[in-house]
Amino acid sequence: MTAAIKKITVNITSGLLPIIIVFLTTVSAHSQMGYTYYNIDSLQGFKISNGSNVVKVGTIISSYLDFRDYPSGVTPDLTKNTIKPKDARLDITGKSGEDYEYHLQLDFGAWGSTYAPDGGPLDDANFTYKGFKKLFNINIGYGKVPYSLNSLVEHYQSPYWERPQISKGDFFSRRDMGIRLDRSFWDGKIRASGGIYSGVGEVVLGGTNDASGAFEYIGRVEFSYPEKHHEEIIDTKGLTTPNISIGLNGRYSKRNLPAGTGFLAGETGGLLNSKDSALDFKVVNGEKYILGMDVSILYRGFSAQFETHTLKGTPQNANDPILMGLPTSVTNGYFKAGGWYTTLNYFAKPIKSIFSVRYDELNANDLVPGISKHIAAGLSYQVKGYNSMIKFEFDRNLSETESINTHKWDNEYRIGWQLVID
């Protein structure tokens, strides 16, 4: 029965998406969803309005060719050489009156896939109540949590197919079910968000918490000047005045599992290339907090970002595998992890191209030696803004011998095309 349902779903999906594409590209253009401001003549979605009720429908379809090469003496994982469907999304946003806004986003490309921190099929299912006017807005449901600039940026605005190690979704969850309060000040130049979440991240879609029954508390404050920031990371406008944004992030949870119980499948993440690894720490059996900071600067086609995060985990059990079997006199009962990345971009408007270089590091556990280091380069050609863009990415693994990370490849190459109708 399960196989039959999956087959029917695939058939429906493969037939539905081309119809959506043809339909959306033939209807009249309306104001955009999301954060794309580059081209007013871009490919725009379908809009239905009836008085104060508005519904907008868009889609994202993208795929890329993925290839890795390996150092001598390492058995290559040839399953990574593939053509991967990155997105097959149906994106619906709308509002009802002046007080309610909602967002529903499905990613058909994630159905049937194995564990992935950004796996679907549900990406967003939430609504916002704005009836308190000048006090705050309330957002309820499933979606991105207010943490990390790189996590909040829509990936189709990036010249890369994959985010840095620190923010791609295994160091911390990027989506969760929760209740969030939002408030902006100074004409939107200062924005603050904070909320309470299930704490199990993307696996909350299974409909249950882990045996700890605990929650996670997440918050972010962002200051931008002289213009308010919209999570852009590429200066496609050619700003004549430098625009800077600074974000401060924090999250905290205390998840003490009862004896004899464990975390949900996939809850700890797959940072170390194994979802069953006892060393993964997307959640910790005990107390965990993460603090982060990010900076973004845009000016005359150039842009740069820097982001850093530090984690401290204090397991409730002294023999927790994540403490590496070391005595308390060495660990003091806790471990630390963290990482950072920096990227430099340039948008060459005459040739509609984005050039980018990025460096990132990740220390998965300070109790063991080794730091994972990557350097990457991206080149994108905008056929029609972000809406139709060809992207090439090169990623060099500088530390394939890092002791607790089993990613042993040398270089990774990705090239593909994205279509965004928003």
Side-chain angles (χ1 to χ4, degrees):
M1 177 65 73
T2 301
I5 292 174
K6 182 176 290 186
K7 182 177 181 180
I8 292 171
T9 301
V10 171
N11 291 336
I12 292 174
T13 301
S14 60
L16 179 62
L17 290 177
I19 295 173
I20 293 172
I21 293 298
V22 172
F23 181 66
L24 294 181
T25 53
T26 56
V27 297
S28 59
H30 296 274
S31 61
Q32 297 182 21
M33 300 156 55
Y35 295 117
T36 304
Y37 297 111
Y38 166 60
N39 190 340
I40 61 173
D41 297 319
S42 61
L43 304 173
Q44 297 173 330
F46 176 58
K47 176 180 176 180
I48 303 173
S49 61
N50 180 13
S52 60
N53 298 313
V54 179
V55 178
K56 300 177 182 179
V57 182
T59 188
I60 304 175
I61 296 178
S62 67
S63 59
Y64 59 80
L65 174 67
D66 195 344
F67 177 80
R68 289 181 180 179
D69 58 46
Y70 293 79
S72 59
V74 173
T75 301
D77 182 1
L78 299 180
T79 64
K80 300 299 183 180
N81 297 343
T82 185
I83 300 176
K84 182 176 181 179
K86 173 67 174 174
D87 299 287
R89 302 191 187 193
L90 178 63
D91 192 10
I92 302 172
T93 62
K95 70 173 186 176
S96 180
E98 298 299 322
D99 292 340
Y100 294 93
E101 295 180 356
Y102 54 89
H103 187 195
L104 174 64
Q105 184 173 201
L106 299 171
D107 189 356
F108 298 96
W111 266 348
S113 65
T114 55
Y115 166 76
D118 57 351
L122 188 63
D123 277 354
D124 293 279
N126 58 79
F127 70 89
T128 300
Y129 178 69
K130 309 177 77 172
F132 291 118
K133 308 302 180 186
K134 294 184 178 181
L135 292 177
F136 48 76
N137 296 332
I138 302 178
N139 179 274
I140 300 175
Y142 180 77
K144 286 186 178 181
V145 302
Y147 190 93
S148 168
L149 171 63
N150 189 268
S151 175
L152 292 170
V153 168
E154 295 291 348
H155 79 83
Y156 64 79
Q157 294 192 13
S158 168
Y160 299 96
W161 287 107
E162 186 169 79
R163 302 176 192 269
Q165 300 175 90
I166 194 70
S167 59
K168 67 179 184 178
D170 279 314
F171 190 84
F172 50 75
S173 60
R174 299 183 54 239
R175 287 180 166 86
D176 203 346
M177 184 77 69
I179 302 173
R180 187 187 77 231
L181 303 183
D182 301 320
R183 175 74 189 272
S184 63
F185 309 86
W186 197 19
D187 193 28
K189 295 181 178 67
I190 298 177
R191 297 188 297 172
S193 298
I196 178 173
Y197 293 87
S198 77
V200 303
E202 293 80 2
V203 298
V204 71
L205 297 179
T208 183
N209 199 342
D210 60 39
S212 72
F215 299 97
E216 185 174 22
Y217 308 91
I218 306 175
R220 173 177 172 83
V221 177
E222 181 180 285
F223 166 79
S224 56
Y225 186 83
E227 298 182 11
K228 57 184 178 181
H229 200 247
H230 291 281
E231 279 83 44
E232 302 106 324
I233 57 174
I234 306 295
D235 180 18
T236 58
K237 303 175 186 177
L239 297 172
T240 56
T241 301
N243 192 12
I244 184 170
S245 171
I246 300 174
L248 300 176
N249 313 269
R251 53 199 303 165
Y252 172 83
S253 64
K254 188 172 184 179
R255 317 188 71 81
N256 290 337
L257 294 174
T261 64
F263 289 118
L264 303 174
E267 185 181 355
T268 60
L271 183 69
L272 303 177
N273 204 26
S274 171
K275 68 179 181 180
D276 300 317
S277 173
L279 302 180
D280 283 322
F281 51 79
K282 197 170 177 179
V283 289
V284 171
N285 182 9
E287 187 177 41
K288 184 192 77 171
Y289 71 77
I290 312 178
L291 299 176
M293 181 192 74
D294 48 75
V295 179
S296 179
I297 302 174
L298 290 76
Y299 180 57
R300 293 192 180 277
F302 289 94
S303 57
Q305 288 81 39
F306 171 81
E307 189 166 328
T308 181
H309 301 277
T310 300
L311 178 152
K312 180 180 178 182
T314 307
Q316 67 166 326
N317 300 317
N319 63 347
D320 193 298
I322 208 166
L323 296 177
M324 307 306 296
L326 298 172
T328 304
S329 59
V330 174
T331 67
N332 292 315
Y334 65 84
F335 76 99
K336 289 185 176 181
W340 60 277
Y341 81 89
T342 185
T343 183
L344 177 65
N345 317 289
Y346 178 67
F347 176 61
K349 187 174 182 178
I351 58 175
K352 302 190 294 184
S353 298
I354 302 171
F355 300 88
S356 180
V357 62
R358 183 179 76 196
Y359 177 82
D360 69 285
E361 290 189 0
L362 177 67
N363 185 349
N365 193 320
D366 70 335
L367 300 178
V368 296
I371 297 177
S372 180
K373 303 175 182 179
H374 286 234
I375 187 168
L379 171 62
S380 300
Y381 175 71
Q382 295 189 332
V383 179
K384 199 171 185 64
Y386 291 117
N387 298 91
S388 178
M389 188 164 75
I390 300 171
K391 303 199 294 187
F392 170 75
E393 171 189 329
F394 167 76
D395 190 350
R396 169 69 175 174
N397 187 354
L398 300 176
S399 54
E400 65 271 6
T401 57
E402 199 272 333
S403 59
I404 60 174
N405 192 335
T406 56
H407 294 280
K408 304 300 183 184
W409 47 272
D410 267 344
N411 303 302
E412 186 163 23
Y413 312 85
R414 293 185 173 104
I415 184 169
W417 200 326
Q418 67 182 34
L419 175 66
V420 181
I421 299 178
D422 63 345

